[in-house]
């Protein structure tokens, strides 16, 4: 027997003065291989055409579709109903500004984050089209890619106690981004430069090291390792800095 | 009227749009990008396989050079491409790849010494040259004669787009995301920008620019079964076509990719076959060696997709509740290899199919994948018909791909055209002043506002837009697909024209006037039907088979009559696109011939057009 699924979905359109935040209930019969992408698309097309939510690649690769699924942040497109109970509550990610219903404004948040961590290769000189590429050890290339697999879905930010309390907290995603540039030999920034960006309460020292940003990350990025590593490095760098000043 | 001014407006913030924006910014101009989604979520991020560039660094690419890349591309296109463009592209691709390395892409590198690789299920050994260690390496793809697919594991598009967007952040190029361009502002001669709709609050805005670039990606979502993102509904092509003066090129050229997984049509990369994966049927037998003894699984996409469909029609597919499919087998590559080189594939299989590709075979069948057609531009990316308007990337018909795009040539195209168009835009902007005609701007704004009001006022009109979209997608999927024939195409055109009529009776079934997704679709739907008609009508008229366009009733490639590109215009009040034709290429470096795979009869041109450039004319005008 196919299950009758019940979805409690957050509804609120901030632009509409008549709208107020509430949960609305929808029903669907479960089908084989059903994902939340199929669910939400069907609800919109068959039951309520005003329902707002985001999908882009619908293949677990772009990060658009992260929402709270029974309280846990995850990508809606790769979540199968089979793995969920009959009653499912869907909420938008916290921390980010609400656009409407399940849709939040991650573009502005991530742009600001990228500006703050200066998420680009810092180097002198300009590109020489006549020259061969700089060589790089393949192991280094793979190591960089390992950290660059983040899809800016925002799950780790939504799951983070600190980020939920203080809007200026950079979050695990930003610290992971810094780590990515630290292992890249093309980036000429010094430890001290990175320290200036993340060696604060908004950065590494605001992290309580408690919650599972790493457990939540749909790309299984080693966020805790990076946090630990960064904390140790930054700690050393701070101490070295103190001694140097004396 | 909320109005923004900029020197360069890029509609789209995928690889192509951002690359153009960066070029202008590097030259001190103000660039601004619009995007429906945050820039890094653009569809470019989903490309896994790689991008082609003849670096010749790895063992299996020994001796590679732009000449060979050029030949592969022209053959791949089934002589449907613009050879001048293919030449420009092949020459510049290595520079573009290196530039992306400069900006931070962690390309996989050559590791010196012995290693093994798979081909057709068998293991072979190769020795990578020690002296090339650390240079950018390549992988194999369908239809190419040297390994030149530069890649970062199987996250190539992701790393390219992140690097590109990083440069945009660095250069202070703003991206207004959740903003959809819905009409071009123009006076029939010059383009001045766009009317756009904010998808955060539903309000209209105006963007005025000296130069405008359309880089909105493809129109895959016209098809029911597609590997494309849900936002790829052909927006950019629609607003260009709606001007009445801009033609679309070769809209009938629609590529199907052999390995969409069943049922969700998510792509698993061609890298799977490139790395040695094989295709099998219901009996567990390989069939590609039977049809294509030479290239086997690595013939070009159009060829493999057709043989797969043929094989399924022979009753050798695997039955499933979602229709018949075939198997892709990568088990023999081993877990370690899959874990490192094909990790996204592994993740997709586990998450979406609940299977482990190191243990089980992957259910696949061809799905719509790439739009070779698009806004017709010349070799500098200038759009036909309007001054100050450019197009780049998948949205454009620069015509590098002709009637079939080779794997890895699209990521390549986005960055290479991005550079070329960017340079042209810079030349254009230097010393250019435009007069923004306030009347023209106001008229464009009023027209869009009026259009939206009309839709809203048709509250509870008889037609539902989501249902109509379904009909459109079914029609293209069922009748304008991998194999085509006259009667079906005729039926499709009729059905689409009916749909065009019905689209005037769409009523909203919701009150919400803000971001309302039903309204958002209703605004662009009529344009989608127009695009679909360009595809279907163009396909009906092209009475030959070339590349992905396979007419069962005209199986020959007919160079005598069809060595030409379709141009489709839409004049206000028409119910069918007007078609005209232009030669594929001004220059024929490589005379039309056999591709060496996908055996097909060819009706030769009586007067084989083989010509070179004028004496003294530079081949690749943009080489540094
Ligand atoms: C699953 C998949 C895998 C692929 N793998 C490969 C590969 O391995 N190698 C390869 O070479 N090619 C590959 N391709 C093809 C390649 O990825 C695309 O063709 C290419 O990335 C397109 O880039 P683009 O910049 O033209 O468009 P996109 O990246 O699609 O960007 C379009 C942009 O336009 C914006 N936009 C759209 N409409 C509007 C509007 N009306 N107003 C404002 N903004 C708008 C979007 O928000 C987006 O920012 C793959 C394609 C798919 C679908
Ligand atoms: S470990 Fe730190 S960054 Fe991660 S969720 Fe906890 S507080 Fe946030
Ligand atoms: S680190 Fe993981 S959870 Fe956080 S944004 Fe990136 S992919 Fe998402
Ligand atoms: S839609 Fe792209 S990750 Fe879910």
């Amino acid at each position: 027997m196919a299950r009758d699924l019940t979805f409690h979905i957050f509804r609120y359109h901030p632009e509409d003065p008549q709208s107020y935040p509430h949960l609305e209930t929808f029903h669907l019969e479960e089908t084989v291989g059903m994902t939340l992408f199929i669910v939400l698309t069907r609800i919109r097309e068959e039951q309520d055409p005003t329902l707002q939510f985001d999908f882009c690649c619908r293949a677990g690769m772009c990060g658009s579709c992260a929402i709270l699924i029974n309280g846990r942040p995850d990508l809606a497109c790769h979540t199968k109903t089979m793995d969920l109970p009959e009653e499912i509550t869907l909420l938008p990610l916290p921390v980010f500004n609400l656009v409407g219903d399940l849709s939040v404004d991650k573009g502005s948040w991530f742009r600001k984050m990228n500006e703050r961590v200066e998420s680009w290769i810092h180097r002198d000189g300009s590109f020489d089209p006549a020259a061969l590429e700089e060589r790089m050890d393949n192991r280094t290339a793979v190591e960089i890619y390992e950290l660059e697999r983040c899809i800016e879905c925002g799950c780790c930010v939504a799951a983070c106690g600190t980020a939920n309390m203080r809007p200026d907290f950079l979050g695990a995603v930003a610290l992971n981004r810094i780590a990515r540039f630290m292992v890249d030999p093309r980036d000429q920034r010094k430890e001290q430069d990175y320290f200036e960006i993340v060696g604060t309460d908004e950065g590494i020292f605001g992290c309580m090291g408690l919650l599972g940003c790493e457990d939540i990350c749909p790309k299984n990025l080693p966020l805790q390792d990076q946090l630990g590593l960064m904390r140790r490095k930054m700690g050393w760098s701070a101490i070295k800095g103190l001694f140097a000043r004396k | 009227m909320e109005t923004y001014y900029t020197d360069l407006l890029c509609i789209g913030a995928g690889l192509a749009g951002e690359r153009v924006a960066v070029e202008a910014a590097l030259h001190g101009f103000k660039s601004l990008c619009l995007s429906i989604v945050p820039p890094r979520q653009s569809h470019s991020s989903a490309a896994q396989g790689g991008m082609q560039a003849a670096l010749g660094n790895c063992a299996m690419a020994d001796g590679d050079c732009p000449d060979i890349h050029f030949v592969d591309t022209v053959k791949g296109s089934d002589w449907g491409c613009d050879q001048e463009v293919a030449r420009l592209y092949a020459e510049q691709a290595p520079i573009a790849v290196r530039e992306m390395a400069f900006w931070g892409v962690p390309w996989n590198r050559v590791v010196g010494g012995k290693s093994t690789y798979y081909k057709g299920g068998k293991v072979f050994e190769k020795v990578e040259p020690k002296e090339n260690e650390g240079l950018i390496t390549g992988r194999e793809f369908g239809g190419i004669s040297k390994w030149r697919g530069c890649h970062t594991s199987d996250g190539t598009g992701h790393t390219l787009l992140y690097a590109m967007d990083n440069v945009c952040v660095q250069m202070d190029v703003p991206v207004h995301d959740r903003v959809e361009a819905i009409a071009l502002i123009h006076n029939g001669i010059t383009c001045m920008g766009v009317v756009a709709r904010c998808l955060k609050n539903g309000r209209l805005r105006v963007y005025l620019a000296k130069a405008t670039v359309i880089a909105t990606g493809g129109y895959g979502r016209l098809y029911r079964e597609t590997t494309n993102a849900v936002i790829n509904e052909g927006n950019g092509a629609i607003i260009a076509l709606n001007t009445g003066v801009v033609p679309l090129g070769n809209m009938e050229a629609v590529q199907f990719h052999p390995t969409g997984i069943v049922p969700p049509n998510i792509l698993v990369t061609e890298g799977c076959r490139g790395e040695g994966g094989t295709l099998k049927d219901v009996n567990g037998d390989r069939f590609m060696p039977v049809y294509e003894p030479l290239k086997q699984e690595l013939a070009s996409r159009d060829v493999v997709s057709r043989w797969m469909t043929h094989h399924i029609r022979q009753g050798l597919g695997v039955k499933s509740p979602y229709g018949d499919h075939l198997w892709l087998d990568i088990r023999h590559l081993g877990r370690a290899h899959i874990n490192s080189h094909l990790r996204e594939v592994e993740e997709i299989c586990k998450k979406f199919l609940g299977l482990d590709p190191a243990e089980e075979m992957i259910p696949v069948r061809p799905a719509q994948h790439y739009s070779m057609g698009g806004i017709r531009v010349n070799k500098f990316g200038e759009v036909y018909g309007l001054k100050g308007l450019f197009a780049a990337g998948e949205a454009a018909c620069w015509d590098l791909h002709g009637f079939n795009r080779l794997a890895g040539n699209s990521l390549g195209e986005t960055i290479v055209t991005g550079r070329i168009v960017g340079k042209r835009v810079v030349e254009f902007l230097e010393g250019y002043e435009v007069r923004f005609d306030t009347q023209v701007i106001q008229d464009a704004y009023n027209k869009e506002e009026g259009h939206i009001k009309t839709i809203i006022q048709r509250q509870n009109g008889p037609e539902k837009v989501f249902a109509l979209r379904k009909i459109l997608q079914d029609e293209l999927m069922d009748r304008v697909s991998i194999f085509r024939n006259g009667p079906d195409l005729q039926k499709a055109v009729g059905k689409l024209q009916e749909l065009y009529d019905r689209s005037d009776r769409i009523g909203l079934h919701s009150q919400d006037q803000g971001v309302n997704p039903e309204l958002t679709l209703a605004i662009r739907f009529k344009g989608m039907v127009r695009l679909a008609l360009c595809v279907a009508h163009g396909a009906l008229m092209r009475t030959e088979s070339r590349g992905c366009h396979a007419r069962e009733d005209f199986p020959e490639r007919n160079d005598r009559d069809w060595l030409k590109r379709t141009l489709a215009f839409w004049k206000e009040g028409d119910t069918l696109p007007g078609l005209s034709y232009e030669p594929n290429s001004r220059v024929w470096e490589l005379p039309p011939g056999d591709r060496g795979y996908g055996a097909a009869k060819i009706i030769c041109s009586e007067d084989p057009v083989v010509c070179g450039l004028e004496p003294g004319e530079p081949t690749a005008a943009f080489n540094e």
Side-chain angles (χ1 to χ4, degrees):
Chain A
M1 263 295 281
R3 295 192 299 171
D4 176 24
L5 301 177
T6 305
F7 297 91
H8 306 289
I9 300 180
F10 180 83
R11 302 304 305 269
Y12 179 41
H13 290 183
E15 286 288 320
D16 176 359
Q18 320 256 284
S19 177
Y20 61 97
H22 64 285
L23 287 180
E24 196 173 335
T25 302
F26 298 90
H27 294 276
L28 269 187
E29 193 174 290
E30 191 169 32
T31 52
V32 186
M34 191 180 234
T35 60
L36 290 183
F37 168 67
I38 298 173
V39 168
L40 288 169
T41 309
R42 275 189 55 192
I43 292 179
R44 181 194 279 174
E45 292 184 4
E46 296 163 14
Q47 303 186 28
D48 184 342
T50 64
L51 182 63
Q52 288 178 39
F53 51 78
D54 294 317
F55 287 98
C56 186
C57 71
R58 60 83 180 88
M61 299 171 77
C62 75
S64 303
C65 65
I67 52 174
L68 290 186
I69 303 160
N70 283 343
R72 190 180 192 279
D74 203 348
L75 302 178
C77 70
H78 79 186
T79 301
K80 292 195 276 292
T81 54
M82 198 176 82
D83 300 328
L84 296 171
E86 273 170 39
E87 298 246 344
I88 300 159
T89 304
L90 304 179
L91 302 174
L93 289 189
V95 182
F96 305 97
N97 286 335
L98 185 75
V99 173
D101 301 338
L102 299 177
S103 174
V104 296
D105 176 11
K106 283 189 289 195
S108 313
W109 196 95
F110 276 103
R111 173 72 183 221
K112 202 148 97 225
M113 184 278 276
N114 282 316
E115 285 168 2
R116 280 170 75 192
V117 306
E118 301 189 3
S119 169
W120 60 85
I121 302 274
H122 290 54
R123 67 189 310 169
D124 299 328
S126 54
F127 172 66
D128 175 5
L132 216 58
E133 65 268 25
E134 283 171 271
R135 287 174 198 252
M136 185 187 274
D137 189 282
N138 193 51
R139 269 174 310 217
T140 312
V142 170
E143 201 185 338
I144 297 170
Y145 176 59
E146 282 307 301
L147 298 175
E148 203 174 298
R149 288 171 44 252
C150 163
I151 55 174
E152 299 195 348
C153 67
C155 287
C156 58
V157 180
C160 171
T162 309
N164 273 282
M165 283 184 308
R166 46 185 308 171
D168 53 0
F169 183 58
L170 280 163
V173 57
L175 301 170
N176 178 71
R177 187 62 54 80
I178 292 281
R180 177 248 174 268
F181 285 99
M182 285 175 97
V183 302
D184 194 327
R186 294 168 292 196
D187 195 312
Q188 292 162 353
R189 277 179 282 186
K190 303 265 180 317
E191 237 161 62
Q192 188 61 35
D193 301 326
Y194 296 120
F195 181 68
E196 271 162 24
I197 298 170
V198 290
T200 62
D201 281 355
E202 293 164 18
I204 194 73
F205 300 119
C207 163
M208 302 178 291
L210 300 170
L211 272 172
C213 46
E214 176 164 331
D215 292 346
I216 281 301
C217 175
K219 286 287 164 183
N220 298 317
L221 286 162
L223 299 177
Q224 295 286 4
D225 290 0
Q226 295 315 319
L227 287 167
L229 199 76
M230 193 86 64
R231 203 192 287 270
R232 278 199 302 283
K233 271 201 171 157
M234 293 299 162
W236 273 117
S237 170
I239 291 166
K240 273 190 284 184
L242 283 177
F243 281 118
R245 234 173 277 154
K246 291 247 163 78
Chain B
M1 214 188 306
E2 197 180 337
T3 308
Y4 299 83
Y5 293 90
T6 180
D7 294 323
L8 167 66
L9 176 69
C10 286
I11 314 172
L15 275 169
E18 290 203 329
R19 182 63 190 84
V20 181
V22 161
E23 191 65 32
L26 284 169
H27 286 82
F29 291 104
K30 233 168 71 181
S31 315
L32 187 155
C33 298
L34 305 182
S35 177
I36 295 183
V37 291
R40 294 175 192 226
Q41 291 168 0
S42 298
H43 204 43
S44 292
S45 70
Q48 303 162 352
M51 93 166 245
Q52 288 201 48
L55 299 172
N57 292 332
C58 65
M60 305 300 284
D62 194 28
D64 198 13
C65 62
D67 288 337
I68 308 180
H69 189 181
F70 166 81
V71 170
D72 285 347
T73 301
V74 175
K75 280 188 184 174
S77 81
D78 219 352
W79 278 270
C81 75
D82 183 327
Q83 297 199 8
E84 247 183 307
V85 161
R87 173 53 76 181
L88 257 171
Y89 164 74
E91 304 271 351
Q92 287 222 10
I95 303 173
V97 162
R98 292 185 180 123
E99 187 171 50
M100 292 312 296
F102 180 84
W103 280 329
V105 171
W107 297 113
N108 283 31
R109 304 292 175 140
V110 175
V111 180
K114 263 192 204 147
S115 55
T116 55
Y117 67 97
Y118 284 87
K119 199 165 181 141
K122 289 199 203 74
V123 200
F124 296 86
E125 196 170 84
K126 63 181 168 57
V127 182
E128 291 293 348
K130 261 278 181 254
E131 67 273 17
N132 286 354
E133 186 148 284
L135 295 177
I136 297 168
T137 191
R139 64 160 49 136
E140 180 158 34
F141 284 134
I144 67 176
S145 43
K146 299 274 178 188
W147 290 23
R148 72 170 81 85
C150 306
H151 58 281
T152 37
S153 301
D154 59 357
T156 312
H158 174 90
T159 54
L160 280 169
L161 186 59
Y162 274 53
M164 206 66 250
D165 194 54
N166 282 343
V167 180
C168 284
V169 176
Q170 180 184 5
M171 305 291 307
D172 253 336
V173 173
V175 179
H176 291 190
D177 73 315
R178 290 181 186 270
V179 174
E180 177 175 343
I182 57 170
L184 291 171
I185 302 172
H186 69 98
N187 55 9
I189 298 163
T190 307
C191 177
M192 299 168 212
V194 301
V195 180
R197 185 162 170 269
C198 171
L199 300 178
K200 287 180 197 163
N201 59 29
R203 287 195 280 276
L204 291 187
R205 298 177 178 177
V206 163
Y207 287 85
L208 298 178
K210 291 184 192 172
T212 304
V213 177
I214 302 180
T216 49
Y219 46 89
R221 283 280 154 182
L222 297 183
Y223 283 79
R224 180 181 66 224
E225 280 146 27
T226 171
T227 64
N228 282 198
V230 295
I231 62 167
N232 288 2
E233 295 193 315
N235 281 331
I238 291 172
I239 60 176
L241 187 68
N242 285 350
T243 62
V245 292
V246 171
L248 305 181
N250 277 348
M251 290 296 285
E252 65 270 32
V254 178
Q255 178 173 76
F256 281 72
H257 192 293
T259 56
I261 61 171
V262 181
N265 301 305
I266 294 170
L267 178 84
V268 289
T269 170
E270 180 142 329
C272 290
R273 280 169 294 131
E275 303 270 348
T278 53
L279 291 167
K280 293 184 171 164
D281 63 17
V282 65
N283 302 320
D285 294 331
R286 281 181 69 200
F287 51 91
M288 281 311 294
V290 179
Y291 301 122
E292 290 292 331
L294 230 55
K295 285 265 175 185
Q296 308 184 359
E297 274 84 354
L298 290 170
S300 68
R301 288 176 179 173
D302 57 327
V303 174
V304 179
S305 295
R306 268 196 302 277
W307 284 129
M308 287 171 77
T309 310
H310 170 81
H311 207 63
I312 290 176
R313 284 181 176 179
Q314 301 298 303
L316 291 159
V318 183
K319 298 261 172 291
S320 91
Y322 307 97
D324 295 0
H325 64 76
L326 294 156
W327 298 113
L328 173 65
D329 191 357
I330 59 170
R331 294 173 298 181
H332 53 283
L333 304 183
R335 193 173 293 283
H337 189 83
I338 294 173
N339 266 329
S340 58
H341 287 69
L342 298 169
R343 185 166 42 190
E344 292 294 335
V345 173
E346 187 186 22
E347 208 174 292
I348 288 168
C349 289
K350 286 192 170 151
K351 282 284 180 190
F352 292 90
L353 300 171
L355 70 79
D356 174 359
E359 305 271 337
E360 292 161 87
M361 294 191 286
I362 310 167
V364 292
R365 111 184 121 204
Q368 190 286 342
H369 182 60
Y370 188 79
S371 321
M372 269 84 67
I375 302 159
R376 179 67 189 132
V377 296
N378 65 13
K379 66 177 167 180
F380 305 114
E382 293 160 331
V383 169
Y384 286 18
L386 282 180
K387 192 173 161 197
L389 184 62
F390 301 78
E394 193 172 341
C397 177
W398 188 40
D399 224 358
L400 168 65
H401 312 299
F403 274 76
N404 173 62
R405 165 173 79 84
L406 288 185
N409 261 354
S410 171
L411 287 179
E413 179 189 16
T414 59
I415 312 176
V416 174
T417 37
R419 300 179 92 236
I420 293 175
V421 179
K423 288 194 166 61
R424 191 60 159 199
V425 164
V426 167
E427 283 175 16
F428 176 82
L429 287 174
E430 278 163 355
Y432 177 72
E433 283 307 323
V434 64
R435 252 173 235 282
F436 294 123
D437 186 331
T438 48
Q439 194 57 51
V440 172
I441 298 163
Q442 190 64 51
D443 287 351
Y445 185 90
N446 292 348
K447 188 171 169 206
E448 293 317 304
E449 199 180 35
H451 177 210
I452 293 172
K453 275 215 183 93
T454 320
I455 296 177
I456 292 172
Q457 276 159 5
R458 266 192 321 242
Q459 200 82 228
N460 295 318
E463 302 288 0
K464 293 187 180 178
V465 69
F466 290 114
L468 292 195
R469 182 174 64 181
K470 223 178 213 116
I471 300 177
L472 174 115
Q473 291 172 333
D474 285 347
E475 206 52 42
L476 285 195
M477 196 68 214
D478 298 339
R479 285 194 249 272
V480 197
S481 189
I482 294 187
F483 288 107
R484 303 165 171 188
N485 64 64
D488 274 346
L489 289 171
Q490 190 69 64
K491 249 187 237 154
V493 169
K495 198 75 189 249
L496 289 169
Q497 281 183 303
E498 222 176 85
L499 211 53
Y500 191 64
D501 242 19
R502 289 168 69 181
S503 67
D504 282 331
R505 296 192 290 276
I506 291 172
L508 292 193
H509 292 254
S510 53
Q511 307 291 321
D512 197 340
Q513 304 197 4
V515 202
N516 189 352
E518 189 186 27
L519 175 59
T520 305
L521 179 61
I523 294 171
R524 70 169 88 108
F525 185 70
K526 198 159 178 172
M528 288 173 68
V529 189
R530 286 183 177 183
L531 287 193
L533 273 164
C534 291
V535 177
H537 188 49
L540 175 63
M541 288 313 177
R542 185 173 282 274
T543 48
E544 65 153 355
S545 294
R546 183 181 300 275
C548 68
H549 174 69
R551 285 283 299 256
E552 290 166 299
D553 42 356
F554 295 94
E556 306 85 11
R557 191 183 89 199
N558 184 343
D559 290 345
R560 189 187 59 211
D561 305 317
W562 286 103
L563 224 38
K564 52 192 184 189
R565 178 181 306 113
T566 310
L567 297 180
F569 290 87
W570 201 290
K571 297 260 177 282
E572 203 51 54
D574 284 357
T575 57
L576 254 192
L579 301 184
S580 66
Y581 296 91
E582 65 172 358
N584 288 334
S585 200
R586 209 164 58 93
V587 170
W588 294 87
E589 242 187 276
L590 195 67
D594 182 18
R595 296 162 100 188
Y597 47 79
K601 276 196 229 78
I602 300 172
I603 299 177
C604 289
S605 167
E606 280 160 2
D607 171 26
V609 259
V610 183
C611 54
L613 288 161
E614 301 293 314
E617 207 176 337
T619 349
F622 274 80
N623 268 343
E624 268 114 333

